Each structure stands twice: as C-alpha cells, then as structure tokens.
Amino acid sequence: MLDRTGDEITTGHPGRHWHRLADGRVQCDVCPRYCKLHEGQRGLCFVRARRGDGVVLTTYGRSSGFCVDPIEKKPLAHFLPGSAVLSFGTAGCNLTCRFCQNWDISKARAFDRLQAEASPGEIAEAAARHGCRSVAYTYNDPVIFLEYAVDVAQACRRRGVRNVAVSAGYVAPQARREFFAPMDAANIDLKAFTEGFYHRLCTGRLQPVLETLLYLKRETQVWLEVTTLLIPGENDAPEELEALSAWVAANLGPDVPLHFTAFHPDYRMLDKPRTPTRTLVEARRIAMARGLRYVYTGNVHDEATQTTRCHSCGAALIGRDWHQITARGLTGGGRCEGCGEPCPGVFEGPPGGWGRRRRPLALGSAA
Ligand code: SF4
C-alpha cells in the first residue's frame, strides 16, 4: 500500500538504501515492504518519500518529543539497570499492527505530532547533561528514520553515551547492518510466532524478524533482549509459546532475556481484554521449562516474575517491581554477590537509582 497525498515532496534529507527500477519507479530498500514509488508518493511508513530520482526522509531532525525514562521501560533488564535513558521517536511506522500501543505516534499521518527539532549533537549533549547513560530510539519504529537515528547514535558515541534500539526488527539486510552498527543494545519485538499473526494483524511477515534476531545474536556485539506482547486469544496458546521459546533457546541461547508483556485494548483492537497476569506467569513458566534463564513479565506488578535471579544459586540479583528496582545483589562487575557467578548483560557499577520516574524534556526548537 502506498500513499499518494497530493502534497509536493519539497523537503527531506537524502535517504539511503534505494534503487531505480527499469519501469521508472524507485524502490525503497530499508524494509521488507520494498515500496516502489512514483514521483510524489510516500511509502507505507509515510515518512519516506520519492523526490526526484531518489528517496528522502521527510522527518529528519524532527521528533514527537523527548522523555527521560527508566531503562527498564524499554524494556531492558540486563543493560545498565536503574539508569536513565533519553527516549525519542518521530512519526509513522512500517507495520500496521491493529493492536498498536503507541498508535498516536506511529499512525501519525500529518506531522502535527512532531513538536521539536533537534540536531544529533543537541540530543547527545542533552543526554549527557541530564545524566542519561543512553539514548533510546523508540515510540515508533526507528528503522524508518534510519539516517537520523544513525547520525544521533554516532554523535552519542562521540559523547560516551550508549544507544538503544527498540524495534520490531522489520528491516532489510543492508539497512539492518547500517542501522545496528552504532547500537549498543536492542529490544526487538517478536510479536508472535506464526506467519498468520504477522500477516493478519500487522500486514507483515515473521521471517525477516527472525533474521534480524539471528543477525544481532550471531554477527554483532549488540546486547539483545526480546519482547512478546501477549494478546488473549491471538498469540498466547501454550503450543505457540512452546515453539517461540524453543526457537529462542535454540537460536539465541539461554541467556537472552525474554519479556512477556501485558496487552491493553487500544487502536483497532478494542474487543480483547487486558492480558491477565496469570497468562504472563504461565508463559514465563513455559519459556523457562524450555531452558531460558531470564524470562520476565511486564506491564503488571509481579515482583516474583520481574526479579533477576542468579541462574547458579538462585539469589536475587536485581529485584524489580514494574520499573522500580527493589533489591540489589549484583557486584559492580555483574556477578552474583553470593556465589560469584557472572550474570549476562552490560553492567558497569551497581544498579542505578533513577526509579520509575518519567520526565518529559523540552529540547531543540519548536517545529
Ligand atoms: S521503510 Fe519500508 S515502508 Fe517505508 S518506504 Fe521504505 S520500504 Fe516502504
């Protein structure tokens, strides 16, 4: 599905990852939709568009807003726990999930959501000034604003600030390499474990997401965690959770954290109830029985299933209740204080004390 708005595309940052087709159209090669564009057309994500003989990113430098969040909200449980992360997104998305939990941003068709302009250097500087150890590319899928995300990430690296990608992993191979090169951590949505779910509810495919997960695990040093939003009656059948967990264990290994998070009715899926906590707890039990060591529930209060435990002696390493750290049993170097066993992840010093605060930031100039 392409979008011909009638607007003349007069602005935009030169895009990468596209090529000309013999029939005169230009194909965007950022994600597996491979939109084929005539002059004046936008891709399905709405933010990439054809201008002249190329593709431009129409939202470069523009954000839907900035917030300082706990890193646990991304969610990342084994990456600089307790630290603050400067989070931002833009507009649009390359999947069309009926259950989108951020639809006011991702489905934005006009740019009225884009409130602030900020250069890569300004964002990196703001992160450092506000004590954020990382910047997260989140809220909508950052692969669609690849050129902006990569420039911000490189500016952050120069300032000693880490980079966190929160993505559905729906990205084509060449763009995938460029996008993840400056990233230090990623949380990838594995929305379900059937092609039918991706096709019916997201108009996408599962296979490219699995390829992104394999790429991150096998070919990069990016710290990887995986999230599955469990929707009652759609992707929470025990057989599907068995298959998903077995795939993660066999292909990504037992140490990749897996988060099962609760759905709430939103956007075009208002007919499903909230996910009961017991469904999340049962999913966690299934995944751990398949050999995964670090499986968490999310979007509910359940400290027992949100606490990181030492896989060797069972001691609580990082106690958690939702986004709040409640106990600390990890050395600064990431070992169990009780038995000395290392905990996989990125740990530099003891868990921080940012807590569950969420602080909006005014940054850059109003658009
Ligand atoms: S990023 Fe994906 S959805 Fe957007 S224009 Fe490119 S191929 Fe189409």
Side-chain angles (χ1 to χ4, degrees):
M1 183 177 69
L2 302 174
D3 201 330
R4 186 183 285 279
T5 60
D7 302 339
E8 194 183 349
I9 310 294
T10 55
T11 58
H13 185 88
R16 297 188 283 272
H17 308 291
W18 55 267
H19 70 279
R20 288 189 197 88
L21 298 171
D23 63 6
R25 292 180 297 172
V26 168
Q27 176 173 309
C28 175
D29 295 319
V30 164
C31 92
R33 294 197 179 275
Y34 299 117
C35 296
K36 297 169 181 61
L37 306 172
H38 292 288
E39 182 65 40
Q41 272 188 318
R42 294 176 183 270
L44 176 133
C45 62
F46 199 70
V47 301
R48 304 185 80 82
R50 175 157 175 188
R51 189 182 69 188
D53 269 348
V55 172
V56 294
L57 170 61
T58 60
T59 52
Y60 188 100
R62 299 171 68 193
S63 160
S64 56
F66 295 87
C67 231
V68 181
D69 285 330
I71 194 75
E72 286 72 20
K73 188 177 167 65
K74 299 305 101 187
L76 287 174
H78 294 226
F79 182 81
L80 304 175
S83 66
V85 53
L86 178 59
S87 303
F88 77 98
T90 59
C93 194
N94 58 341
L95 288 170
T96 61
C97 306
R98 298 181 67 80
F99 50 88
C100 185
Q101 313 272 291
N102 275 335
W103 62 271
D104 51 337
I105 292 170
S106 64
K107 308 304 177 200
R109 288 270 142 177
F111 295 129
D112 53 349
R113 295 286 315 186
L114 298 182
Q115 302 158 346
E117 283 190 29
S119 71
E122 285 173 316
I123 295 172
E125 197 276 327
R129 189 173 66 236
H130 289 278
C132 297
R133 299 188 66 184
S134 57
V135 165
Y137 310 84
T138 180
Y139 304 139
N140 65 326
D141 205 297
V143 303
I144 64 169
F145 60 92
L146 175 143
E147 294 81 3
Y148 186 36
V150 167
D151 286 355
V152 175
Q154 288 172 344
C156 287
R157 283 220 160 154
R158 288 193 288 274
R159 294 289 308 232
V161 175
R162 309 290 180 82
N163 295 297
V164 172
V166 181
S167 168
Y170 204 57
V171 58
Q174 193 185 6
R176 179 187 290 143
R177 274 191 291 279
E178 183 186 0
F179 176 75
F180 285 109
M183 297 297 160
D184 298 287
N187 189 299
I188 302 294
D189 264 352
L190 179 54
K191 293 176 185 288
F193 205 61
T194 63
E195 288 288 357
F197 180 102
Y198 271 86
H199 176 72
R200 190 165 47 84
L201 297 179
C202 314
T203 64
R205 291 184 291 124
L206 167 63
Q207 188 57 34
V209 180
L210 299 182
E211 288 166 12
T212 295
L213 290 169
L214 291 171
Y215 169 77
L216 286 168
K217 183 63 188 172
R218 295 176 181 174
E219 299 184 44
T220 75
Q221 297 297 313
V222 175
W223 174 255
L224 172 63
E225 303 194 16
V226 178
T227 295
T228 301
L229 180 81
L230 289 184
I231 305 174
E234 295 290 358
N235 62 356
D236 62 347
E239 316 78 61
E240 183 170 344
L241 297 174
E242 293 265 3
L244 183 151
S245 303
W247 187 90
V248 171
N251 292 281
L252 307 181
D255 289 339
V256 168
L258 176 59
H259 302 256
F260 289 117
T261 57
F263 159 88
H264 65 267
D266 216 333
Y267 192 49
R268 292 184 181 156
M269 193 176 276
L270 301 172
D271 57 333
K272 299 282 180 187
R274 282 178 176 271
T275 314
T277 301
R278 66 176 180 279
T279 301
L280 305 173
V281 172
E282 174 61 8
R284 177 177 180 269
R285 187 196 65 73
I286 289 171
M288 294 187 84
R290 284 287 174 172
L292 294 177
R293 290 172 170 166
Y294 307 100
V295 187
Y296 302 102
T297 64
N299 294 349
V300 294
H301 287 285
D302 194 51
E303 197 168 347
T305 58
Q306 292 167 0
T307 290
T308 301
R309 293 195 167 274
C310 175
H311 78 90
S312 177
C313 73
L317 301 178
I318 310 166
R320 273 185 217 89
D321 180 13
W322 209 314
H323 303 141
Q324 182 81 40
I325 289 185
T326 56
R328 293 165 168 81
L330 201 63
T331 69
R335 291 179 178 273
C336 173
E337 283 182 353
C339 72
E341 183 72 12
C343 180
V346 177
F347 305 105
E348 293 170 1
W354 177 255
R356 59 189 311 167
R357 285 172 291 162
R358 183 165 199 270
R359 185 196 297 160
L361 275 190
L363 195 66
S365 54

